[in-house]
Amino acid sequence: MESPRAAYAARTRIREQASMKLMTALDASRVELIKREFEHRKNRVGQADFISVMLKHLPVHLYSNRDNAADELFELFKEVDVNGDGTMDWEELTRFMVSKAALLKEKSTALDCIPYHHKTQPDASVPASTVHHRHRDSIDGMCLLPRYRQFACIENHSPVIALYNARNTSLVATMKCKAVPLCVCYIEPLQSLIACCSDSTMARFNVGESHHKVRYQQKSFWSTPDAQMAMCWQPTHNLLYSGSVGGRVHAWDVDTHKQISCFEAHTDIVMDVLNLDCLDSIVSASLDTNIIVVDSYTEQQTARLTGHSKGVNSLCYNSDNRFLISSGFDHDVFVWSPFVSTLLYKLKGHRAALVGCETVEGSPELITADASGLFKLWDLRKFECVQTFTSEHEPGDLDDLTGTLSCFKHMKLPCFDGGGDADDYRPCFDGGGDADDYRVIAASKKLLYFDQERMRANPVSDEGPIRVALFNSQSLTVFTASERTVKIWDAILGSVKHSFKNVTASDISAACLDDRKRKFILGESTGTVSVFNYQNGAVMKEFSPQGSSPVVDLAYSAASKSVLVAYMNGLVRVFDENDIESCKVLRSFDETYSHRGDLYCAVYEQASSVVATGGNLPSDGVRLWDYDSGKCELVLKSGDECEVVALAFLGDYPLVAVCCSDCKIRLFLTHQSADLKGTCVVEWTNELPPGTLITEALDEAVHPMGWGQPGDEDEDSAESRRRERALGSVRHVQARERSSSSMASFEQDTDGSSAEAKHSSPEFTAARKPNKSPVSSVVWDQVGESLFTGSEGGHLRKWGLARTLAFIDAGKLETVEVNGRRRVRCGQRDSSGDREGLSPKRASAAALGRPSSLGEAASLVEFRWGLERAHDADVTVIELTQEPRALLTASTDKRVLMFSLDGKSLGCLLQTAKYGCQSPQWSLRIDVAQRQAKEARALSAVLNKDEKGGDEGVARREKDEREASHRQHSDGRAKRKGRNAKASRAGKEGGRAGTSQTASEKIHNRVIDVLAKVKTATVRVPTPSGDSGSQTISTQSITLVGDPKLREKNRRLPPHLKANDPIASPPIELTGLGPGFKHQGGKISLPRI
């Protein structure tokens, strides 16, 4: 029975495929009707409108019920509306459908080909006498025994059949016929090997699980009308089909040795016979250049395939695409359909006669070989050659296949369950069992083996170091970036959903998601920044170039729809991401205060609108910037001769955590009075404190005397159990040290511990070294008031700061409105912070920052637990996820891991996990029922709004048309009465006043929108002169119209423009022309609404 998590993941995949369902279900007439619906709504369709329009025109049979259709369309609208404006136009919809179709086509035709290579080194466990067994003459044919991982070979002019182990290439046995065998065939149900000999006989040998006295011995033989050149087994009828030198195809009962049927098929020697069990047909190929398809029930010919110019010697079938492939003495490979007599495609590339063709089971791969010794690997979906390979040899040596290759076979070998290097290599992981290996066995006078470059079975997430890992709570996916590859993982199943390779021209150095989690933004090592679609990986737009310095960090501001980009050379830019075509610079941080050395890290706190940056020069320290103005507000001295490697704001507290290369973690005040702002109030070392206990495997550390921590009850109970376990271990150690040589005294010291516990080693022991290391990544947990750190040694540690924050008494940040502007200030600490178990002592303001206060505050930092071997290399990412509450970590050891907040491992993302299958190494628990209920409520709200409010788009347009008509009527009446200019303006103002406030807001927003795209403007305003009634025009100073405080925070017009009539103001001369302006006779005017 399918679990709820698996069912939710499957439902999510179906919703994501809704666009393909639409494209396949909509014909030209339906598309035209939908387009008319868009045009009727002025090409602006809301969410409810979109669902109703699509449900109206989609075929009824497409969905099982209306609710499922509305659910998929609801998700589709959110996927198409990438910019999040809540509306959709026709061009946006069609552009999305085309890009989605192109992406799915690319994914369907993309073949991750694992190349084959020549295995030149024999297995060390196999005796040399069996490995170097050489045939005196060329090997003419081979037959596979898949169940036993063996294959049989027949040699030209030799009556011996040699049986080899396909895994280690050793010789298993030899079987001798009375004449030279011409072909061999293995029958799995009978555990028999059939050989057709040159004396027109068939011989049956016992193989497989036969008794050892009769194994590999001839069981029976019988005569045939002609010498048989090819055979195949038909399991449905339990018949053996063979093709003779006379061109006839025979059917044999192997047990009775009787010929069941015979039909004339060809006029020349039959070279190959193939059973198509799925089609109940037998296919034969002959030197007469024809291919015959015969129904196995009626024995009637159903198709004759002609097209070869020379004889055909090999056949194979691809069941996925239903392709019949043939090869012969001409140099091309022919692709047919067994249902029609027409050639589908010719695969060209070989320059010699072909010796055979083999399809790969469960794959669109085809392998062909020619007499010159060249092999080609083809993709049947694109009919393209993806690899050409041959043996590694010197001219004329034994491995030279030039002119000597006679036959080959492709074999799938189940995963080796013994020792040796076979355990180290696996081509793939199917999500529930062992993997398979693939091998090409080539024959001349010697057997040669070609293996795939199998993937190491290490639990890794990507081929390169993981630089970025982000949790997407909207789609329940995990975003990872390594080198030039981006992967989207299913957070429920732990398997890859999308893999976008080579999405950038250089290595990815930073990444972030937008506020709606529908786009991802990548920064490269060459300074390029681009925006991509989260669903299909398509490039949407690029940022204006700012040089070639690597991008260090990216941060997205949801309030202003802007992106913070920090470069290694010290430049920090804010880009406007709201534009559809490109992202231009909104502001640059003050370069006077930029870092003189390399910039290593940058972190943005959206609540307080503060940015912190740190670099490699100790003199630069940590710089705090105002995000809205780009001004440097404070410089923190992080320490002498140490680099800043990681930063984190402490949420509601006016503190920033600074992690340096000297292994120190320091907390600085960011919002306090002038004398305390920038003061370091806590400082401690990232090492195991004295008294820490650690397991013998050095993977888990805990301080058994740790204080209780406010937070989740599950986390507290788990940490308590860990401490109790550690205390039990240390009591066991103490008892063992105090014990005498007698067992009785040992039992007394351990208070009656069991005999099994007496001889078992303790779980925890005292840490011998503190494992001191610099912190490479850090994240703050506001709920549990804890700091999680990841270090360069792969350590993951949790530090409790509740008692420390109570001692500092820094208060919490709060947002207030001052003169219409948002201000962040530090308030008083809530009295609820004095919880049971926390020290009521507070440090005085004058004592903060002093050595005595630093030491006392550091002593209150609680080491909760540590995973000393969480990763094998530097931890590059720590992210705290809120739903569910867990830790997502990534490292240069190529792994992405998930941990609970109490340090329990929740799994590793494995790149070998099969798509759509539950990874056995992933156990993240997500409340899918709660998410489904939330999604159902959101969909219900949209549908109810549509039912109650009717067509919201039509109602909104009718309201706008009534307002516009009323304004025109008022303006026309004022002109007809012939009033003067002043009265006319008054009449216009009165007309606008009579309308709703919406019209004034539209004018206001229009001017703001126009001015927001202008860098600078020179304003001329009239000033009264000495003469009464006269005015003079004076030019004021240049105003920075693009100031974000003017655009985003205040949302007010400049003082020289009036909100009631901005167009009536004096002209504005612009030095930087935005797209909202246009020239009219040498003047610049605002466009009409």
Side-chain angles (χ1 to χ4, degrees):
M1 183 177 179
E2 193 176 29
S3 64
R5 296 168 65 248
Y8 182 81
R11 175 171 166 264
T12 303
R13 289 196 302 271
I14 293 175
R15 289 193 304 179
E16 292 176 352
Q17 297 171 358
S19 56
M20 279 303 299
K21 186 186 295 186
L22 289 176
M23 284 185 290
T24 56
L26 296 177
D27 53 17
S29 59
R30 295 181 186 272
V31 171
E32 183 63 28
L33 291 175
I34 295 175
K35 184 178 179 181
R36 292 178 183 177
E37 295 279 1
F38 272 72
E39 293 175 349
H40 176 66
R41 291 165 173 80
K42 303 296 183 183
N43 204 23
R44 303 295 292 177
V45 177
Q47 199 168 42
D49 290 346
F50 175 75
I51 295 176
S52 62
V53 167
M54 300 305 293
L55 288 177
K56 180 179 178 181
H57 296 286
L58 284 177
V60 179
H61 63 82
L62 193 62
Y63 298 96
S64 58
N65 55 66
R66 182 182 176 88
D67 293 338
N68 291 340
D71 185 26
E72 294 183 7
L73 293 171
F74 179 71
E75 189 66 25
L76 177 61
F77 182 90
K78 293 191 293 184
E79 186 177 353
V80 177
D81 185 26
V82 179
N83 56 3
D85 59 357
T87 59
M88 181 194 306
D89 55 35
W90 179 250
E91 291 75 14
E92 190 176 8
L93 176 62
T94 54
R95 191 186 310 114
F96 167 80
M97 302 296 254
V98 171
S99 62
K100 188 78 170 180
L103 173 71
L104 293 177
K105 181 180 179 180
E106 181 181 354
K107 288 182 63 178
S108 64
T109 58
L111 177 61
D112 294 332
C113 172
I114 304 176
Y116 288 84
H117 72 287
H118 182 200
K119 182 180 180 181
T120 57
Q121 297 296 330
D123 196 327
S125 62
V126 181
S129 59
T130 60
V131 172
H132 298 289
H133 174 78
R134 184 185 178 190
H135 296 261
R136 294 183 177 181
D137 220 324
S138 63
I139 298 174
D140 280 353
M142 288 191 292
C143 175
L144 301 180
L145 286 71
R147 180 176 180 181
Y148 304 103
R149 309 171 191 176
Q150 298 173 351
F151 64 95
C153 297
I154 55 175
E155 183 180 346
N156 191 17
H157 305 134
S158 173
V160 176
I161 301 175
L163 194 63
Y164 288 91
N165 187 312
R167 171 69 69 178
N168 58 24
T169 71
S170 62
L171 180 64
V172 177
T174 57
M175 295 166 285
K176 190 174 182 179
C177 302
K178 295 182 179 181
V180 176
L182 302 178
C183 63
V184 287
C185 177
Y186 172 67
I187 303 176
E188 173 69 29
L190 303 180
Q191 297 290 294
S192 300
L193 188 70
I194 309 298
C196 294
C197 301
S198 58
D199 60 349
S200 299
T201 60
M202 284 188 178
R204 178 179 176 181
F205 292 86
N206 293 318
V207 293
E209 298 177 354
S210 304
H211 192 273
H212 67 280
K213 292 185 178 181
V214 297
R215 186 182 303 168
Y216 309 129
Q217 300 297 321
Q218 180 176 311
K219 181 178 182 180
S220 61
F221 74 96
W222 64 95
S223 300
T224 60
D226 296 313
Q228 308 298 310
M229 298 297 296
M231 291 183 291
C232 72
W233 174 253
Q234 219 288 343
T236 303
H237 306 293
N238 291 325
L239 295 177
L240 178 68
Y241 285 86
S242 64
S244 68
V245 295
R248 290 179 293 274
V249 177
H250 306 264
W252 304 89
D253 187 329
V254 178
D255 292 329
T256 62
H257 307 162
K258 293 183 178 180
Q259 177 178 298
I260 304 300
S261 63
C262 176
F263 48 89
E264 298 288 340
H266 300 276
T267 60
D268 208 334
I269 300 175
V270 178
M271 298 298 295
D272 198 6
V273 181
L274 179 66
N275 171 48
L276 301 183
D277 198 26
C278 58
L279 302 178
D280 295 319
S281 300
I282 300 296
V283 186
S284 60
S286 170
L287 292 181
D288 64 0
T289 71
N290 294 326
I291 300 172
I292 303 299
V293 181
V294 178
D295 190 292
S296 61
Y297 283 93
T298 63
E299 297 183 358
Q300 299 296 319
Q301 177 179 316
T302 59
R304 175 182 291 270
L305 309 178
T306 59
H308 282 275
S309 59
K310 297 180 181 180
V312 186
N313 57 20
S314 181
L315 296 170
C316 62
Y317 183 72
N318 180 271
S319 57
D320 294 338
N321 299 296
R322 294 191 175 186
F323 289 156
L324 177 65
I325 298 101
S326 63
S327 64
F329 295 100
D330 38 14
H331 301 172
D332 298 334
V333 183
F334 286 62
V335 181
W336 313 82
S337 172
F339 306 100
V340 295
S341 301
T342 304
L343 178 66
L344 299 179
Y345 203 85
K346 281 186 181 181
L347 302 178
K348 297 180 177 293
H350 287 282
R351 298 184 179 181
L354 297 175
V355 298
C357 57
E358 291 281 334
T359 56
V360 179
E361 181 183 353
S363 169
E365 297 179 6
L366 170 71
I367 302 175
T368 60
D370 59 32
S372 66
L374 287 179
F375 292 82
K376 287 185 177 293
L377 178 62
W378 305 84
D379 182 1
L380 290 177
R381 294 173 299 184
K382 298 186 292 183
F383 298 117
E384 292 181 358
C385 178
V386 294
Q387 186 193 5
T388 300
F389 59 96
T390 187
S391 60
E392 299 178 4
H393 64 274
E394 297 293 334
D397 66 6
L398 295 178
D399 291 342
D400 189 356
L401 292 176
T402 304
T404 62
L405 179 64
S406 56
C407 61
F408 78 96
K409 287 291 183 181
H410 180 274
M411 191 171 191
K412 180 175 72 173
L413 300 175
C415 182
F416 186 64
D417 53 4
D421 64 345
D423 278 339
D424 296 336
Y425 295 92
R426 294 176 185 174
C428 64
F429 185 81
D430 60 3
D434 291 333
D436 297 322
D437 297 337
Y438 295 90
R439 171 171 287 182
V440 173
I441 307 170
S444 56
K445 288 185 178 181
K446 179 184 177 182
L447 292 171
L448 286 82
Y449 304 91
F450 299 86
D451 293 346
Q452 285 184 323
E453 290 282 359
R454 287 161 287 177
M455 188 185 306
R456 286 279 182 182
N458 294 332
V460 297
S461 306
D462 213 323
E463 294 299 323
I466 308 297
R467 296 299 179 187
V468 183
L470 302 169
F471 188 84
N472 190 332
S473 59
Q474 296 294 328
S475 58
L476 287 181
T477 55
V478 178
F479 170 93
T480 62
S482 173
E483 295 178 346
R484 303 182 185 184
T485 301
V486 168
K487 291 183 178 180
I488 309 296
W489 303 77
D490 191 325
I492 299 178
L493 303 177
S495 56
V496 178
K497 294 182 66 174
H498 306 290
S499 181
F500 309 126
K501 296 184 177 180
N502 297 321
V503 294
T504 57
S506 58
D507 289 350
I508 300 170
S509 57
C512 70
L513 304 180
D514 71 324
D515 57 333
R516 299 177 63 250
K517 306 298 188 294
R518 298 282 177 174
K519 296 177 285 188
F520 62 87
I521 305 169
L522 299 181
E524 304 178 32
S525 58
T526 56
T528 304
V529 183
S530 305
V531 182
F532 299 82
N533 189 301
Y534 195 86
Q535 292 293 333
N536 54 33
V539 182
M540 301 179 64
K541 52 190 172 183
E542 294 184 354
F543 287 35
S544 56
Q546 303 296 313
S548 59
S549 181
V551 178
V552 174
D553 266 314
L554 294 172
Y556 194 92
S557 174
S560 58
K561 300 287 186 181
S562 58
V563 182
L564 173 77
V565 183
Y567 299 89
M568 184 174 286
N569 60 2
L571 294 179
V572 182
R573 300 279 191 267
V574 177
F575 291 81
D576 185 9
E577 198 274 325
N578 210 19
D579 192 276
I580 298 178
E581 299 297 333
S582 62
C583 299
K584 298 181 180 180
V585 177
L586 283 179
R587 75 189 72 89
S588 299
F589 282 19
D590 193 350
E591 298 185 11
T592 306
Y593 295 93
S594 62
H595 290 261
R596 292 174 294 174
D598 291 341
L599 188 64
Y600 279 178
C601 53
V603 61
Y604 169 55
E605 178 61 30
Q606 187 161 316
S608 57
S609 191
V610 177
V611 178
T613 58
N616 65 338
L617 284 184
S619 58
D620 288 342
V622 177
R623 300 178 184 261
L624 300 182
W625 309 78
D626 181 25
Y627 182 82
D628 296 325
S629 64
K631 295 180 179 180
C632 181
E633 296 185 337
L634 189 62
V635 178
L636 308 177
K637 295 301 180 182
S638 56
D640 298 333
E641 299 181 357
C642 62
E643 302 174 354
V644 178
V645 293
L647 296 167
F649 286 99
L650 268 60
D652 295 341
Y653 295 100
L655 295 167
V656 60
V658 180
C659 306
C660 303
S661 58
D662 60 354
C663 306
K664 296 284 187 180
I665 304 174
R666 300 175 175 88
L667 299 185
F668 289 86
L669 288 171
T670 59
H671 293 77
Q672 280 288 355
S673 58
D675 55 340
L676 294 178
K677 192 174 183 180
T679 304
C680 178
V681 292
V682 185
E683 175 182 309
W684 76 96
T685 305
N686 180 39
E687 62 181 1
L688 298 178
T692 300
L693 300 180
I694 192 169
T695 57
E696 290 187 352
L698 303 179
D699 55 356
E700 183 180 358
V702 64
H703 200 289
M705 299 303 177
W707 289 81
Q709 176 185 345
D712 296 342
E713 294 182 359
D714 294 340
E715 300 167 23
D716 285 343
S717 60
E719 293 180 6
S720 299
R721 289 193 298 269
R722 182 187 282 111
R723 289 195 298 272
E724 292 174 0
R725 189 157 45 97
L727 285 173
S729 298
V730 73
R731 282 196 298 266
H732 180 73
V733 173
Q734 293 171 353
R736 188 174 58 181
E737 292 176 349
R738 293 194 306 265
S739 64
S740 59
S741 58
S742 64
M743 186 61 65
S745 63
F746 177 76
E747 292 177 354
Q748 183 178 1
D749 290 336
T750 55
D751 297 329
S753 59
S754 64
E756 181 181 357
K758 300 168 190 174
H759 301 285
S760 62
S761 59
E763 186 177 358
F764 284 90
T765 58
R768 298 180 181 179
K769 56 181 180 179
N771 281 352
K772 180 179 178 181
S773 59
V775 174
S776 55
S777 57
V778 61
V779 69
W780 169 251
D781 178 20
Q782 181 67 36
V783 176
E785 293 186 339
S786 303
L787 197 69
F788 295 92
T789 60
S791 65
E792 295 181 359
H795 316 310
L796 181 64
R797 292 166 182 166
K798 178 179 181 180
W799 307 89
L801 300 182
R803 293 165 52 83
T804 306
L805 295 174
F807 174 78
I808 297 173
D809 193 22
K812 289 189 177 182
L813 298 176
E814 56 185 21
T815 304
V816 296
E817 293 289 336
V818 179
N819 297 329
R821 298 187 178 186
R822 189 189 66 172
R823 298 294 186 185
V824 178
R825 69 183 184 185
C826 185
Q828 296 296 325
R829 181 175 173 84
D830 191 356
S831 60
S832 62
D834 300 335
R835 290 166 292 210
E836 182 180 357
L838 300 183
S839 173
K841 184 178 180 180
R842 299 284 187 268
S844 63
L848 287 176
R850 294 180 181 177
S852 59
S853 178
L854 287 175
E856 187 171 358
S859 64
L860 298 176
V861 176
E862 304 159 6
F863 173 73
R864 306 301 301 159
W865 52 260
L867 301 178
E868 300 305 292
R869 289 185 176 176
H871 285 278
D872 298 330
D874 299 353
V875 179
T876 56
V877 177
I878 294 183
E879 183 180 1
L880 179 67
T881 65
Q882 299 298 333
E883 185 184 351
R885 283 176 54 77
L887 286 177
L888 179 69
T889 66
S891 170
T892 55
D893 64 359
K894 307 177 184 179
R895 294 190 300 165
V896 177
L897 305 178
M898 205 79 174
F899 298 93
S900 64
L901 297 189
D902 58 9
K904 179 183 177 182
S905 175
L906 299 179
C908 173
L909 295 177
L910 297 177
Q911 65 175 353
T912 50
K914 188 176 180 181
Y915 170 77
C917 297
Q918 177 68 50
S919 172
Q921 300 294 329
W922 189 257
S923 59
L924 180 64
R925 298 300 175 185
I926 298 175
D927 190 354
V928 296
Q930 181 180 359
R931 292 189 63 90
Q932 287 178 334
K934 182 179 178 180
E935 294 171 357
R937 287 194 299 268
L939 176 60
S940 177
V942 172
L943 297 179
N944 292 337
K945 183 179 179 181
D946 182 31
E947 293 175 359
K948 294 179 181 180
D951 194 334
E952 57 181 13
V954 174
R956 184 171 57 253
R957 286 190 300 273
E958 291 177 353
K959 180 181 178 181
D960 293 342
E961 291 174 358
R962 287 196 301 269
E963 293 177 352
S965 176
H966 182 68
R967 287 196 302 271
Q968 293 177 0
H969 179 69
S970 300
D971 294 342
R973 183 175 54 186
K975 291 181 180 179
R976 284 193 302 270
K977 291 182 179 180
R979 297 179 179 177
N980 54 29
K982 182 176 180 179
S984 178
R985 287 196 299 271
K988 292 179 182 179
E989 293 176 5
R992 291 189 178 91
T995 61
S996 65
Q997 185 64 25
T998 305
S1000 301
E1001 291 178 355
K1002 284 186 176 181
I1003 299 175
H1004 171 86
N1005 292 332
R1006 178 168 65 91
V1007 176
I1008 287 294
D1009 182 64
V1010 172
L1011 296 180
K1013 301 172 183 178
V1014 181
K1015 296 181 179 179
T1016 58
T1018 302
V1019 182
R1020 296 182 179 180
V1021 296
T1023 57
S1025 61
D1027 300 334
S1028 60
S1030 63
Q1031 294 181 342
T1032 60
I1033 301 299
S1034 63
T1035 302
Q1036 291 185 349
S1037 60
I1038 294 178
T1039 304
L1040 294 177
V1041 182
D1043 191 344
K1045 291 184 177 179
L1046 178 65
R1047 286 177 48 244
E1048 301 296 340
K1049 299 184 73 172
N1050 297 337
R1051 300 295 293 175
R1052 296 183 302 174
L1053 290 173
H1056 54 271
L1057 293 179
K1058 298 180 180 179
N1060 56 0
D1061 192 6
I1063 301 180
S1065 300
I1068 301 177
E1069 293 185 359
L1070 302 175
T1071 59
L1073 195 60
F1077 291 92
K1078 59 183 179 179
H1079 288 274
Q1080 290 184 354
K1083 295 182 180 180
I1084 300 171
S1085 63
L1086 295 172
R1088 295 184 178 179
I1089 297 179

